[in-house]
Amino acid sequence: MSSGDRPSAGAQVAISVVLLVIDLLVIAWVAVIQYGMAGWADSYNAGAPPSAPKEALRGMWTLAGGAVITGGGLLALRCRLPGIMQLVVLGAGATLLAYSADHG
């Protein structure tokens, strides 16, 4: 394996930083806007079944799928640092939403 097959360490760090910012924005959107707004709307509609747990599960599957697709794709391209970072950050966001859906 030659060193030309994979990006340099500096390029991997730059990719990781950019993807971390994007990941945190996506997690904030899913957790605060989708899940939070559904919970807020549920407080005004006490007679109907709550929709916040369903939104949390939808967000969990979105983040888990994003972790597998982006993290796995980056690992397949031999970008180890960004790939592992994607798996960890989006996986942690998915775990947070799964916990929120279960313990609502």
Side-chain angles (χ1 to χ4, degrees):
M1 170 173 34
S2 67
S3 63
D5 291 338
R6 57 188 150 143
S8 67
Q12 288 191 37
V13 169
I15 293 168
S16 296
V17 169
V18 169
L19 289 174
L20 178 64
V21 171
I22 294 169
D23 290 345
L24 293 177
L25 288 173
V26 169
I27 291 170
W29 173 265
V30 169
V32 174
I33 302 298
Q34 283 186 317
Y35 178 65
M37 291 295 284
W40 174 76
D42 287 344
S43 69
Y44 286 101
N45 195 5
S51 64
K54 184 172 75 173
E55 288 297 324
L57 285 175
R58 182 180 300 152
M60 185 241 354
W61 283 113
T62 301
L63 292 177
V68 170
I69 291 170
T70 59
L74 287 166
L75 288 173
L77 292 173
R78 296 186 177 170
C79 293
R80 292 183 187 206
L81 180 63
I84 291 171
M85 194 247 352
Q86 284 292 100
L87 290 170
V88 169
V89 172
L90 291 177
T95 303
L96 171 74
L97 285 170
Y99 180 81
S100 297
D102 190 37
H103 292 67

Coordinates of all heavy atoms in Angstrom, one line a residue:
M1 N 0.9 -1.2 0.0 CA 0.0 0.0 0.0 C 0.9 1.2 0.0 O 1.7 1.4 0.9 CB -0.9 0.0 1.2 CG -1.7 1.2 1.5 SD -2.9 1.2 2.8 CE -2.3 0.1 4.0
S2 N 0.7 2.1 -1.0 CA 1.5 3.3 -1.1 C 0.8 4.4 -0.3 O -0.4 4.4 -0.1 CB 1.8 3.7 -2.5 OG 0.5 4.0 -3.1
S3 N 1.6 5.4 0.0 CA 1.0 6.5 0.7 C 0.1 7.4 -0.1 O -0.7 8.2 0.4 CB 2.1 7.4 1.3 OG 2.9 8.0 0.3
G4 N 0.1 7.2 -1.4 CA -0.7 7.9 -2.3 C -2.2 7.4 -2.4 O -3.0 8.1 -3.0
D5 N -2.4 6.3 -1.8 CA -3.8 5.7 -1.8 C -4.7 6.4 -0.8 O -5.9 6.2 -0.9 CB -3.7 4.2 -1.4 CG -3.0 3.4 -2.5 OD1 -3.0 3.9 -3.7 OD2 -2.6 2.3 -2.2
R6 N -4.2 7.1 0.2 CA -5.1 7.7 1.2 C -4.7 9.2 1.4 O -3.6 9.6 1.1 CB -5.1 7.0 2.4 CG -3.8 6.8 3.1 CD -3.8 5.8 4.2 NE -2.5 5.2 4.3 CZ -2.0 4.9 5.4 NH1 -2.6 5.1 6.6 NH2 -0.8 4.4 5.5
P7 N -5.7 10.0 1.8 CA -5.3 11.4 2.1 C -4.3 11.6 3.2 O -4.2 10.7 4.1 CB -6.7 12.0 2.5 CG -7.7 11.0 2.1 CD -7.0 9.7 2.1
S8 N -3.7 12.7 3.2 CA -2.7 13.0 4.2 C -3.4 13.3 5.5 O -4.6 13.5 5.6 CB -1.9 14.3 3.8 OG -2.7 15.4 3.8
A9 N -2.6 13.3 6.6 CA -3.2 13.5 7.9 C -3.9 14.9 8.0 O -4.9 15.0 8.6 CB -2.1 13.4 9.0
G10 N -3.2 15.9 7.4 CA -3.8 17.2 7.4 C -5.2 17.3 6.7 O -6.1 18.0 7.2
A11 N -5.2 16.6 5.6 CA -6.5 16.6 4.8 C -7.6 15.9 5.6 O -8.7 16.3 5.6 CB -6.3 15.9 3.5
Q12 N -7.2 14.8 6.3 CA -8.2 14.1 7.1 C -8.7 14.9 8.3 O -9.9 14.8 8.6 CB -7.6 12.7 7.6 CG -7.4 11.7 6.5 CD -7.1 10.4 7.0 OE1 -7.6 9.9 8.0 NE2 -6.2 9.7 6.3
V13 N -7.8 15.7 8.9 CA -8.2 16.5 10.0 C -9.1 17.6 9.5 O -10.2 17.9 10.1 CB -7.0 17.1 10.7 CG1 -7.4 18.2 11.7 CG2 -6.2 16.0 11.5
A14 N -8.8 18.2 8.3 CA -9.7 19.2 7.8 C -11.1 18.7 7.4 O -12.1 19.3 7.7 CB -9.0 19.8 6.5
I15 N -11.1 17.5 6.8 CA -12.4 16.8 6.5 C -13.2 16.5 7.8 O -14.4 16.8 7.9 CB -12.1 15.5 5.7 CG1 -11.6 15.8 4.4 CG2 -13.4 14.7 5.6 CD1 -11.0 14.6 3.6
S16 N -12.5 16.1 8.8 CA -13.1 15.8 10.1 C -13.7 17.0 10.7 O -14.9 17.0 11.3 CB -12.1 15.2 11.1 OG -11.7 13.9 10.6
V17 N -13.0 18.2 10.7 CA -13.5 19.4 11.3 C -14.8 19.9 10.6 O -15.8 20.2 11.2 CB -12.5 20.5 11.3 CG1 -13.0 21.8 11.7 CG2 -11.4 20.1 12.3
V18 N -14.7 19.9 9.2 CA -15.9 20.3 8.4 C -17.1 19.4 8.7 O -18.2 19.8 8.9 CB -15.5 20.3 6.9 CG1 -16.8 20.5 6.1 CG2 -14.5 21.4 6.7
L19 N -16.9 18.1 8.7 CA -18.0 17.1 8.9 C -18.5 17.2 10.4 O -19.7 17.0 10.6 CB -17.5 15.7 8.6 CG -17.3 15.4 7.1 CD1 -16.8 14.0 6.9 CD2 -18.6 15.6 6.4
L20 N -17.6 17.5 11.3 CA -18.1 17.7 12.7 C -19.1 18.8 12.8 O -20.1 18.7 13.5 CB -16.9 17.9 13.6 CG -17.2 18.1 15.1 CD1 -17.9 16.8 15.7 CD2 -16.0 18.4 15.9
V21 N -18.7 20.0 12.2 CA -19.7 21.1 12.2 C -21.0 20.7 11.6 O -22.1 21.0 12.1 CB -19.0 22.3 11.5 CG1 -20.0 23.4 11.3 CG2 -17.8 22.8 12.3
I22 N -20.9 20.1 10.4 CA -22.2 19.6 9.8 C -23.0 18.7 10.6 O -24.2 18.8 10.8 CB -21.9 19.0 8.4 CG1 -21.3 20.1 7.5 CG2 -23.1 18.4 7.8 CD1 -20.7 19.6 6.2
D23 N -22.3 17.7 11.2 CA -22.9 16.7 12.1 C -23.6 17.4 13.3 O -24.7 17.0 13.6 CB -21.9 15.7 12.6 CG -21.4 14.8 11.6 OD1 -22.0 14.7 10.5 OD2 -20.4 14.1 11.8
L24 N -22.9 18.3 13.9 CA -23.5 19.0 15.1 C -24.8 19.8 14.7 O -25.7 19.9 15.4 CB -22.5 19.9 15.8 CG -21.4 19.1 16.5 CD1 -20.3 20.0 17.1 CD2 -21.9 18.1 17.5
L25 N -24.7 20.4 13.5 CA -25.9 21.1 13.0 C -27.1 20.2 12.7 O -28.2 20.5 13.1 CB -25.5 21.9 11.8 CG -24.7 23.2 12.0 CD1 -24.3 23.7 10.6 CD2 -25.4 24.2 12.8
V26 N -26.8 19.0 12.2 CA -27.8 18.1 11.9 C -28.4 17.5 13.2 O -29.6 17.4 13.3 CB -27.3 16.9 11.0 CG1 -28.3 15.8 10.9 CG2 -27.0 17.4 9.6
I27 N -27.5 17.2 14.1 CA -28.0 16.7 15.4 C -28.9 17.7 16.1 O -29.9 17.4 16.7 CB -26.8 16.2 16.3 CG1 -26.2 14.9 15.7 CG2 -27.3 15.9 17.7 CD1 -24.9 14.5 16.3
A28 N -28.4 19.0 16.1 CA -29.2 20.1 16.7 C -30.5 20.2 16.1 O -31.5 20.4 16.7 CB -28.4 21.4 16.7
W29 N -30.6 20.1 14.7 CA -31.8 20.3 14.0 C -32.8 19.2 14.4 O -33.9 19.4 14.8 CB -31.6 20.3 12.5 CG -32.9 20.2 11.7 CD1 -33.5 19.1 11.2 CD2 -33.7 21.3 11.4 NE1 -34.7 19.5 10.6 CE2 -34.8 20.9 10.7 CE3 -33.6 22.7 11.7 CZ2 -35.8 21.7 10.2 CZ3 -34.6 23.5 11.2 CH2 -35.7 23.0 10.5
V30 N -32.3 17.9 14.4 CA -33.2 16.8 14.7 C -33.6 16.8 16.2 O -34.8 16.6 16.5 CB -32.5 15.5 14.4 CG1 -33.2 14.3 14.9 CG2 -32.2 15.3 12.9
A31 N -32.7 17.1 17.1 CA -33.0 17.1 18.5 C -33.9 18.3 18.9 O -34.9 18.1 19.6 CB -31.8 17.0 19.3
V32 N -33.5 19.4 18.5 CA -34.2 20.6 19.0 C -35.4 20.9 18.2 O -36.5 21.2 18.8 CB -33.2 21.8 19.0 CG1 -33.9 23.1 19.4 CG2 -32.1 21.6 20.0
I33 N -35.3 21.0 16.9 CA -36.4 21.4 16.1 C -37.4 20.3 16.0 O -38.6 20.5 16.3 CB -35.9 21.9 14.7 CG1 -34.9 23.0 14.8 CG2 -37.1 22.3 13.8 CD1 -35.5 24.3 15.5
Q34 N -37.0 19.1 15.4 CA -38.0 18.1 15.2 C -38.6 17.5 16.5 O -39.8 17.5 16.8 CB -37.4 17.0 14.4 CG -37.4 17.3 12.9 CD -36.9 16.1 12.1 OE1 -36.0 15.4 12.5 NE2 -37.5 15.9 11.0
Y35 N -37.7 17.0 17.4 CA -38.1 16.4 18.6 C -38.7 17.4 19.6 O -39.7 17.2 20.2 CB -37.0 15.6 19.3 CG -37.3 15.0 20.6 CD1 -38.2 13.9 20.6 CD2 -36.7 15.4 21.7 CE1 -38.6 13.3 21.9 CE2 -37.0 14.8 22.9 CZ -37.9 13.8 23.0 OH -38.2 13.2 24.2
G36 N -38.0 18.5 19.7 CA -38.4 19.6 20.7 C -39.8 20.2 20.3 O -40.6 20.4 21.1
M37 N -39.9 20.5 19.0 CA -41.2 21.1 18.6 C -42.3 20.1 18.7 O -43.5 20.5 19.0 CB -41.1 21.6 17.1 CG -40.2 22.8 17.0 SD -40.8 24.2 17.8 CE -42.0 24.8 16.7
A38 N -42.1 18.8 18.4 CA -43.1 17.8 18.6 C -43.5 17.7 20.1 O -44.7 17.6 20.4 CB -42.6 16.5 18.1
G39 N -42.6 17.7 21.0 CA -42.9 17.7 22.4 C -43.7 18.9 22.8 O -44.6 18.9 23.6
W40 N -43.3 20.1 22.3 CA -44.0 21.3 22.6 C -45.4 21.3 22.1 O -46.4 21.6 22.8 CB -43.2 22.5 22.0 CG -43.9 23.8 22.1 CD1 -44.1 24.6 23.2 CD2 -44.7 24.5 21.0 NE1 -44.8 25.7 22.9 CE2 -45.2 25.7 21.6 CE3 -44.9 24.2 19.7 CZ2 -45.9 26.6 20.9 CZ3 -45.6 25.1 19.0 CH2 -46.1 26.3 19.5
A41 N -45.6 20.7 20.9 CA -47.0 20.6 20.3 C -47.8 19.6 21.1 O -49.0 19.8 21.2 CB -46.9 20.2 18.8
D42 N -47.1 18.6 21.6 CA -47.9 17.6 22.3 C -48.4 18.1 23.6 O -49.5 17.7 24.1 CB -46.9 16.4 22.7 CG -46.7 15.5 21.5 OD1 -47.4 15.6 20.5 OD2 -45.7 14.7 21.6
S43 N -47.7 19.1 24.2 CA -48.2 19.7 25.4 C -49.5 20.5 25.2 O -50.3 20.7 26.2 CB -47.1 20.6 26.0 OG -47.0 21.8 25.2
Y44 N -49.8 20.9 24.0 CA -51.0 21.7 23.7 C -52.1 20.7 23.2 O -53.2 21.2 23.0 CB -50.8 22.8 22.7 CG -50.0 23.9 23.2 CD1 -48.7 24.1 23.0 CD2 -50.7 24.9 24.0 CE1 -48.0 25.2 23.6 CE2 -50.0 25.9 24.6 CZ -48.7 26.1 24.4 OH -48.0 27.1 24.9
N45 N -51.8 19.5 22.9 CA -52.8 18.6 22.4 C -52.8 17.3 23.3 O -52.4 16.2 22.9 CB -52.4 18.2 21.0 CG -53.5 17.5 20.2 OD1 -54.6 17.4 20.8 ND2 -53.2 17.0 19.0
A46 N -53.3 17.5 24.5 CA -53.3 16.5 25.5 C -54.1 15.3 25.2 O -53.9 14.2 25.7 CB -53.7 17.0 26.9
G47 N -55.2 15.4 24.4 CA -56.1 14.3 24.1 C -55.5 13.3 23.1 O -56.0 12.2 23.1
A48 N -54.6 13.7 22.3 CA -54.1 12.8 21.3 C -52.8 12.1 21.8 O -52.2 12.6 22.7 CB -53.7 13.6 20.0
P49 N -52.5 11.0 21.2 CA -51.2 10.3 21.6 C -50.0 11.2 21.2 O -50.1 11.9 20.2 CB -51.2 9.0 20.8 CG -52.3 9.1 19.8 CD -53.2 10.2 20.2
P50 N -49.0 11.1 22.0 CA -47.8 12.0 21.8 C -47.1 11.6 20.5 O -47.0 10.4 20.2 CB -47.0 11.8 23.0 CG -47.4 10.5 23.6 CD -48.8 10.3 23.2
S51 N -46.6 12.6 19.8 CA -45.9 12.4 18.5 C -44.4 12.5 18.7 O -43.6 12.2 17.8 CB -46.4 13.3 17.4 OG -46.1 14.6 17.8
A52 N -43.9 13.1 19.9 CA -42.5 13.3 20.1 C -41.7 12.0 20.0 O -40.6 12.0 19.4 CB -42.3 14.1 21.4
P53 N -42.2 10.9 20.7 CA -41.4 9.7 20.6 C -41.2 9.2 19.1 O -40.1 8.7 18.8 CB -42.1 8.7 21.4 CG -42.9 9.5 22.4 CD -43.2 10.7 21.7
K54 N -42.2 9.3 18.3 CA -42.2 8.9 16.9 C -41.1 9.8 16.2 O -40.4 9.3 15.4 CB -43.5 9.0 16.3 CG -43.6 8.5 14.8 CD -45.0 8.5 14.3 CE -45.5 9.9 14.0 NZ -46.7 9.9 13.3
E55 N -41.1 11.1 16.5 CA -40.1 12.0 15.8 C -38.7 11.6 16.3 O -37.8 11.7 15.5 CB -40.4 13.4 16.1 CG -41.6 14.0 15.4 CD -41.5 14.0 13.9 OE1 -40.4 14.2 13.4 OE2 -42.5 13.8 13.2
A56 N -38.6 11.3 17.6 CA -37.2 10.9 18.1 C -36.7 9.6 17.4 O -35.6 9.5 17.0 CB -37.3 10.7 19.6
L57 N -37.6 8.7 17.2 CA -37.2 7.4 16.5 C -36.9 7.7 15.0 O -36.0 7.1 14.5 CB -38.3 6.4 16.6 CG -38.5 5.7 17.9 CD1 -39.7 4.8 17.9 CD2 -37.2 4.9 18.2
R58 N -37.7 8.6 14.4 CA -37.3 9.0 13.0 C -36.0 9.6 12.9 O -35.2 9.3 12.0 CB -38.4 9.9 12.4 CG -38.2 10.3 11.0 CD -39.3 11.2 10.5 NE -40.6 10.6 10.6 CZ -41.7 11.2 10.7 NH1 -41.7 12.5 10.8 NH2 -42.8 10.6 10.8
G59 N -35.7 10.5 13.8 CA -34.4 11.2 13.9 C -33.3 10.2 14.2 O -32.2 10.3 13.6
M60 N -33.6 9.2 15.1 CA -32.6 8.2 15.4 C -32.2 7.4 14.2 O -31.0 7.2 13.9 CB -33.1 7.3 16.5 CG -32.1 6.3 17.0 SD -32.4 4.5 16.8 CE -33.9 4.2 16.2
W61 N -33.2 7.0 13.4 CA -32.9 6.2 12.2 C -32.2 7.0 11.1 O -31.3 6.5 10.4 CB -34.2 5.6 11.6 CG -34.6 4.4 12.4 CD1 -35.7 4.3 13.2 CD2 -33.9 3.1 12.5 NE1 -35.8 3.0 13.8 CE2 -34.7 2.3 13.4 CE3 -32.7 2.6 12.0 CZ2 -34.3 1.0 13.7 CZ3 -32.3 1.3 12.3 CH2 -33.1 0.6 13.2
T62 N -32.5 8.3 11.1 CA -31.8 9.2 10.1 C -30.3 9.3 10.5 O -29.5 9.2 9.6 CB -32.5 10.6 10.1 OG1 -33.9 10.4 9.8 CG2 -31.8 11.5 9.2
L63 N -30.1 9.5 11.8 CA -28.7 9.7 12.2 C -27.9 8.4 12.1 O -26.7 8.4 11.7 CB -28.6 10.2 13.6 CG -29.1 11.7 13.8 CD1 -29.0 12.1 15.3 CD2 -28.3 12.6 12.9
A64 N -28.6 7.3 12.4 CA -27.9 6.0 12.4 C -27.6 5.6 10.9 O -26.5 5.1 10.6 CB -28.8 4.9 13.0
G65 N -28.5 5.9 10.0 CA -28.3 5.7 8.6 C -27.2 6.6 8.1 O -26.3 6.1 7.3
G66 N -27.2 7.8 8.5 CA -26.1 8.7 8.1 C -24.7 8.3 8.6 O -23.7 8.4 7.9
A67 N -24.7 7.7 9.8 CA -23.4 7.3 10.4 C -22.9 6.1 9.5 O -21.7 6.1 9.2 CB -23.6 6.8 11.8
V68 N -23.8 5.2 9.2 CA -23.3 4.0 8.4 C -22.9 4.4 7.0 O -21.9 4.0 6.5 CB -24.5 2.9 8.4 CG1 -24.2 1.8 7.4 CG2 -24.7 2.4 9.8
I69 N -23.7 5.2 6.4 CA -23.4 5.6 5.0 C -22.2 6.5 4.9 O -21.2 6.2 4.1 CB -24.6 6.3 4.3 CG1 -25.7 5.3 4.1 CG2 -24.2 6.9 3.0 CD1 -27.0 5.9 3.7
T70 N -22.1 7.5 5.7 CA -20.9 8.4 5.6 C -19.7 7.9 6.2 O -18.6 7.9 5.6 CB -21.2 9.8 6.2 OG1 -21.6 9.7 7.6 CG2 -22.4 10.5 5.4
G71 N -19.9 7.3 7.4 CA -18.7 6.7 8.1 C -18.2 5.5 7.3 O -17.0 5.4 7.1
G72 N -19.1 4.6 6.9 CA -18.6 3.5 6.1 C -18.0 3.9 4.7 O -17.0 3.3 4.3
G73 N -18.6 4.9 4.1 CA -18.0 5.4 2.8 C -16.7 5.9 3.0 O -15.8 5.7 2.2
L74 N -16.5 6.7 4.0 CA -15.2 7.3 4.3 C -14.1 6.2 4.7 O -13.0 6.3 4.2 CB -15.2 8.4 5.4 CG -15.9 9.7 4.9 CD1 -16.2 10.5 6.1 CD2 -15.0 10.4 4.0
L75 N -14.5 5.2 5.4 CA -13.6 4.1 5.7 C -13.3 3.4 4.5 O -12.1 2.9 4.3 CB -14.2 3.2 6.8 CG -14.3 3.8 8.2 CD1 -15.0 2.9 9.2 CD2 -12.9 4.1 8.7
A76 N -14.2 3.2 3.6 CA -13.9 2.5 2.3 C -13.0 3.3 1.5 O -12.2 2.7 0.7 CB -15.2 2.2 1.6
L77 N -13.0 4.6 1.6 CA -12.1 5.5 0.8 C -10.7 5.6 1.6 O -9.9 6.4 1.2 CB -12.7 6.8 0.6 CG -13.9 6.9 -0.3 CD1 -14.5 8.3 -0.3 CD2 -13.5 6.5 -1.7
R78 N -10.6 4.9 2.6 CA -9.4 4.9 3.5 C -9.1 6.2 4.2 O -8.0 6.6 4.4 CB -8.1 4.5 2.6 CG -8.2 3.1 2.1 CD -7.0 2.8 1.4 NE -7.1 1.4 1.0 CZ -6.2 0.8 0.2 NH1 -5.2 1.5 -0.2 NH2 -6.3 -0.4 -0.2
C79 N -10.2 6.9 4.5 CA -10.1 8.1 5.3 C -10.5 7.7 6.8 O -11.7 7.8 7.1 CB -11.1 9.2 4.8 SG -10.6 9.9 3.3
R80 N -9.6 7.2 7.5 CA -9.9 6.5 8.8 C -10.4 7.5 9.8 O -11.4 7.3 10.5 CB -8.7 5.8 9.3 CG -8.4 4.6 8.4 CD -7.3 3.8 9.0 NE -7.0 2.7 8.0 CZ -6.4 1.6 8.3 NH1 -6.1 1.4 9.6 NH2 -6.2 0.7 7.4
L81 N -9.7 8.6 10.0 CA -10.1 9.6 11.0 C -11.5 10.1 10.8 O -12.3 10.1 11.7 CB -9.0 10.7 11.1 CG -9.3 11.8 12.2 CD1 -9.3 11.2 13.6 CD2 -8.3 12.8 12.1
P82 N -11.8 10.7 9.6 CA -13.2 11.2 9.4 C -14.2 10.1 9.5 O -15.3 10.3 9.9 CB -13.1 11.8 8.0 CG -11.7 12.0 7.6 CD -10.9 11.0 8.5
G83 N -13.9 8.9 9.0 CA -14.9 7.8 9.0 C -15.2 7.4 10.4 O -16.4 7.2 10.7
I84 N -14.2 7.2 11.2 CA -14.5 6.8 12.6 C -15.2 8.0 13.4 O -16.1 7.7 14.2 CB -13.2 6.5 13.3 CG1 -12.6 5.2 12.7 CG2 -13.3 6.3 14.8 CD1 -11.2 4.8 13.2
M85 N -14.8 9.2 13.1 CA -15.5 10.4 13.7 C -16.9 10.4 13.3 O -17.8 10.7 14.2 CB -14.8 11.7 13.3 CG -15.1 12.8 14.1 SD -16.1 14.2 13.4 CE -16.2 13.9 11.7
Q86 N -17.3 10.2 12.1 CA -18.7 10.1 11.6 C -19.4 9.1 12.4 O -20.6 9.3 12.8 CB -18.8 9.9 10.1 CG -18.4 11.0 9.3 CD -19.4 12.1 9.4 OE1 -19.2 13.1 10.1 NE2 -20.5 12.0 8.7
L87 N -18.9 7.9 12.5 CA -19.5 6.8 13.2 C -19.8 7.1 14.6 O -20.9 6.9 15.2 CB -18.7 5.5 13.1 CG -18.7 4.8 11.7 CD1 -17.7 3.7 11.6 CD2 -20.1 4.3 11.3
V88 N -18.8 7.7 15.3 CA -18.9 8.0 16.7 C -19.9 9.2 17.0 O -20.8 9.1 17.8 CB -17.5 8.4 17.3 CG1 -17.7 8.9 18.7 CG2 -16.7 7.1 17.3
V89 N -19.8 10.3 16.2 CA -20.6 11.5 16.5 C -22.1 11.2 16.1 O -23.0 11.4 16.9 CB -20.1 12.7 15.7 CG1 -21.0 13.9 15.8 CG2 -18.7 13.1 16.3
L90 N -22.3 10.7 14.9 CA -23.7 10.4 14.5 C -24.3 9.3 15.3 O -25.5 9.2 15.6 CB -23.8 10.2 13.0 CG -23.5 11.4 12.1 CD1 -23.5 11.0 10.7 CD2 -24.5 12.5 12.4
G91 N -23.5 8.3 15.6 CA -23.9 7.2 16.5 C -24.3 7.7 17.9 O -25.3 7.2 18.4
A92 N -23.6 8.6 18.4 CA -23.9 9.2 19.7 C -25.2 10.0 19.6 O -26.1 9.9 20.5 CB -22.8 10.0 20.2
G93 N -25.4 10.7 18.6 CA -26.7 11.4 18.4 C -27.8 10.5 18.2 O -28.9 10.7 18.8
A94 N -27.6 9.4 17.5 CA -28.7 8.4 17.4 C -29.0 7.8 18.7 O -30.2 7.5 19.0 CB -28.3 7.3 16.3
T95 N -28.0 7.5 19.5 CA -28.2 6.9 20.8 C -29.0 7.9 21.7 O -29.9 7.5 22.5 CB -26.9 6.5 21.4 OG1 -26.2 5.6 20.6 CG2 -27.1 5.9 22.8
L96 N -28.6 9.1 21.7 CA -29.3 10.2 22.4 C -30.8 10.2 22.1 O -31.7 10.2 23.0 CB -28.7 11.5 22.2 CG -29.4 12.7 22.8 CD1 -29.3 12.8 24.2 CD2 -28.9 14.0 22.1
L97 N -31.1 10.2 20.8 CA -32.5 10.2 20.4 C -33.3 8.9 20.7 O -34.5 9.0 21.1 CB -32.6 10.5 18.9 CG -32.4 12.0 18.6 CD1 -32.2 12.2 17.1 CD2 -33.4 12.9 19.1
A98 N -32.6 7.8 20.6 CA -33.2 6.5 21.0 C -33.6 6.5 22.5 O -34.7 6.1 22.9 CB -32.3 5.4 20.7
Y99 N -32.7 7.1 23.3 CA -32.9 7.2 24.7 C -34.1 8.1 25.0 O -35.0 7.9 25.8 CB -31.7 7.7 25.5 CG -31.9 7.8 26.9 CD1 -31.8 6.7 27.8 CD2 -32.2 9.1 27.5 CE1 -32.0 6.8 29.1 CE2 -32.4 9.2 28.9 CZ -32.3 8.1 29.7 OH -32.5 8.2 31.0
S100 N -34.2 9.2 24.3 CA -35.2 10.2 24.4 C -36.6 9.6 24.0 O -37.6 9.9 24.6 CB -35.0 11.4 23.6 OG -33.8 12.1 24.0
A101 N -36.6 8.8 23.0 CA -37.8 8.1 22.5 C -38.3 7.1 23.6 O -39.5 7.0 23.8 CB -37.6 7.5 21.2
D102 N -37.4 6.5 24.2 CA -37.8 5.4 25.1 C -38.2 6.0 26.5 O -39.1 5.5 27.1 CB -36.6 4.4 25.3 CG -37.0 3.2 26.1 OD1 -38.1 2.7 25.9 OD2 -36.2 2.7 26.9
H103 N -37.5 7.1 26.9 CA -37.8 7.6 28.2 C -38.5 9.0 28.2 O -38.7 9.6 29.2 CB -36.5 7.8 29.0 CG -35.8 6.6 29.4 ND1 -35.3 5.7 28.4 CD2 -35.6 6.0 30.6 CE1 -34.8 4.7 29.0 NE2 -34.9 4.8 30.3
G104 N -38.9 9.4 26.9 CA -39.7 10.5 26.6 C -39.9 11.5 27.6 O -40.4 12.5 27.6

